[in-house]
């Protein structure tokens, strides 16, 4: 339930500091929309003056605010490149695709993407049988060595009633 004013007050900063930060430029209005779980990193010098602030806007963008003696606060965006690793999951259907995918370590989004890839060939409500199998090769995205989320499926195979279906991700020059 915090807002920027409450966070600043707890840090010993004033309402004027809040105003200067949120009105510094078009990017800093982002600070009026902070949510539970968001983290703000404040740099306050020994005399209690806010010198800088870091706010993670997304997994790949950090809004950085720094005090400039002449211009007031200046903001910039730090872009973080996520490391892409290739991961593999495979499973055998015993009760449902979702249970097998969960047991194989796939999240809900990848499971739905897998079903969407083969949805034209396989009716996942009626055609799935016990012992059908799948293999999924996908991107796992990491930041500073820590997994952030799963990316796209790169390749997949589904064996349904003995019939083998395969798919490969392909992007044209236009995307």
């Amino acid at each position: 339930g915090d807002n920027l004013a409450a966070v600043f007050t707890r840090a010993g900063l004033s309402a004027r500091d809040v105003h200067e930060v949120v009105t510094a430029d078009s990017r800093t209005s982002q600070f009026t929309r902070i949510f539970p779980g968001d983290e703000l990193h404040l740099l306050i010098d020994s005399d209690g003056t806010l010198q800088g602030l870091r706010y993670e806007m997304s997994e790949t963008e950090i809004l950085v605010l720094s005090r400039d003696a002449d211009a007031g606060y200046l903001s910039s965006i730090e872009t973080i490149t996520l490391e892409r690793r290739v991961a593999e999951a495979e499973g055998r259907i015993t009760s449902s695709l979702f249970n097998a995918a969960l047991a194989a370590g796939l999240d809900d989004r990848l499971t739905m993407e897998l079903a969407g890839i083969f949805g034209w060939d396989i009716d996942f409500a009626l055609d799935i049988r016990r012992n059908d199998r799948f293999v999924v090769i996908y991107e796992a995205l990491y930041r500073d060595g820590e997994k952030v989320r799963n990316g796209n499926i790169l390749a997949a195979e589904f064996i349904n009633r003995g019939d083998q279906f395969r798919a490969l991700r392909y992007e044209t020059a236009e995307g």
Side-chain angles (χ1 to χ4, degrees):
D2 279 346
N3 57 33
L4 191 63
V7 171
F8 273 34
T9 299
R10 280 199 310 275
L13 300 170
S14 69
R16 178 179 175 83
D17 292 320
V18 173
H19 177 74
E20 288 177 356
V21 165
V22 299
T23 60
D25 62 34
S26 61
R27 289 186 198 123
T28 60
S29 64
Q30 174 76 31
F31 293 125
T32 62
R33 294 179 302 278
I34 60 174
F35 298 99
D38 287 354
E39 290 184 15
L40 298 172
H41 299 266
L42 306 174
L43 177 61
I44 302 171
D45 65 17
S46 58
D47 69 352
T49 303
L50 179 65
Q51 294 297 321
L53 188 150
R54 293 177 59 85
Y55 172 64
E56 191 172 309
M57 297 177 2
S58 70
E59 62 196 20
T60 59
E61 292 184 321
I62 297 174
L63 177 56
V64 178
L65 186 73
S66 56
R67 180 181 287 279
D68 180 270
D70 299 323
Y73 289 107
L74 302 175
S75 72
S76 61
I77 303 287
E78 279 183 15
T79 302
I80 298 167
T81 302
L82 298 179
E83 176 191 355
R84 295 176 184 277
R85 298 181 190 173
V86 175
E88 179 181 339
E90 59 183 291
R92 182 178 300 274
I93 309 292
T94 56
S95 61
S96 73
L97 173 62
F98 282 95
N99 287 340
L102 183 64
L106 296 179
D107 60 23
D108 291 346
R109 187 191 62 76
L110 281 179
T111 304
M112 292 302 295
E113 189 176 336
L114 176 65
I117 289 170
F118 295 113
W120 293 102
D121 301 308
I122 303 167
D123 182 337
F124 284 94
L126 301 175
D127 290 344
I128 298 296
R129 296 291 182 261
R130 183 181 199 78
N131 291 323
D132 284 352
R133 299 183 320 272
F134 62 86
V135 177
V136 179
I137 298 172
Y138 62 96
E139 296 173 319
L141 303 175
Y142 287 78
R143 178 173 146 186
D144 299 327
E146 198 170 307
K147 186 174 180 180
V148 175
R149 64 179 166 87
N150 292 323
N152 294 313
I153 291 178
L154 303 173
E157 177 181 71
F158 202 99
I159 299 173
N160 174 243
R161 297 178 175 188
D163 292 329
Q164 186 178 51
F165 301 92
R166 289 183 174 164
L168 296 173
R169 181 175 183 84
Y170 174 78
E171 291 187 27
T172 65
E174 294 79 34

